[in-house]
């Protein structure tokens, strides 16, 4: 069974994978928008380019077939891919650029899973132990970019978000005046169940 661990952040999604029987993990970093930004080595023709292919991806021929490629704001469909050379053939000419984006309509964790398992669009994934974590919720709270929401805490921990990591005035004061992290949040405290 393939082990896959993914952490989706606001900008990047980091992926770690380990195939059964292997001891060295595979790594990939994709944009959290579900895009893969790759460096271009050459543009032999307007509808053909050669990209850098990291060895950790372990992808085969035709892997990017069916993906979309964006270069300088213009988009084309990838018709074929050669893994040994990094050569892509496109459905139409595009303006040359030093880096391009490859993407499908899949979310970033799925794109990372495809890269690390070598699974093209037309094939099913192998059996996986997939674990996903994200810092998006934490980032939204810290940046105060949240909608009206509710917070449910154990009784006595109503101000846990404001207390943070001691980055507040009067760290040891008995009465603190905190700026609410989520100013319009409904806060409910419940009795904790302890066995």
């Amino acid at each position: 069974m393939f082990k896959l661990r993914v952490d989706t952040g606001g900008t990047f999604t980091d992926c770690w994978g380990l195939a059964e029987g292997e001891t060295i993990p595979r790594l990939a970093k994709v944009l959290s928008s579900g895009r893969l930004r790759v460096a271009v080595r050459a543009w032999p023709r307007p509808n053909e380019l050669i990209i850098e292919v990291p060895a950790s991806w372990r992808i085969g021929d035709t892997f990017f077939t069916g993906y979309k490629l964006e270069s300088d704001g213009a988009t084309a469909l990838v018709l074929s891919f050669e893994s040994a050379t990094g050569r892509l053939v496109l459905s139409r000419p595009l303006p040359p650029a030093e880096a391009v984006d490859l993407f499908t309509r899949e979310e970033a964790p799925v794109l990372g899973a495809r890269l690390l398992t070598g699974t093209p669009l037309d094939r099913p994934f192998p059996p996986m132990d997939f674990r996903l974590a994200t810092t998006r919720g934490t980032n939204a709270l810290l940046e105060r970019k949240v909608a009206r929401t509710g917070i449910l805490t154990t009784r006595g921990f109503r101000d846990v978000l404001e207390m943070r990591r001691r980055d507040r005035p009067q760290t040891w004061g008995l009465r603190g005046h905190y700026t609410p992290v989520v100013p319009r949040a409904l806060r409910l405290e419940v009795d904790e169940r302890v066995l």
Side-chain angles (χ1 to χ4, degrees), residues 108-164:
V110 178
L111 176 58
R114 287 198 184 284
L115 284 173
L116 295 182
T117 62
T119 306
L121 289 172
D122 62 349
R123 301 261 170 90
F125 282 107
M128 276 191 278
D129 174 2
F130 191 116
R131 298 185 189 182
L132 176 67
T134 182
T135 55
R136 285 182 173 174
T138 304
N139 291 346
L141 287 172
L142 295 175
E143 295 169 5
R144 298 173 189 243
K145 294 180 180 176
V146 295
R148 183 155 172 77
T149 187
I151 299 172
L152 185 67
T153 65
T154 300
R155 192 165 308 284
F157 289 89
R158 178 184 180 93
D159 58 353
V160 70
L161 291 175
E162 283 76 20
M163 294 192 63
R164 300 184 208 168

Side-chain angles (χ1 to χ4, degrees), residues 16-33:
W16 178 98
L18 190 64
E20 195 167 345
E22 291 184 358
T23 57
I24 299 173
R26 304 173 186 185
L27 306 172
K29 183 182 280 278
V30 299
L31 293 169
S32 292
S33 62

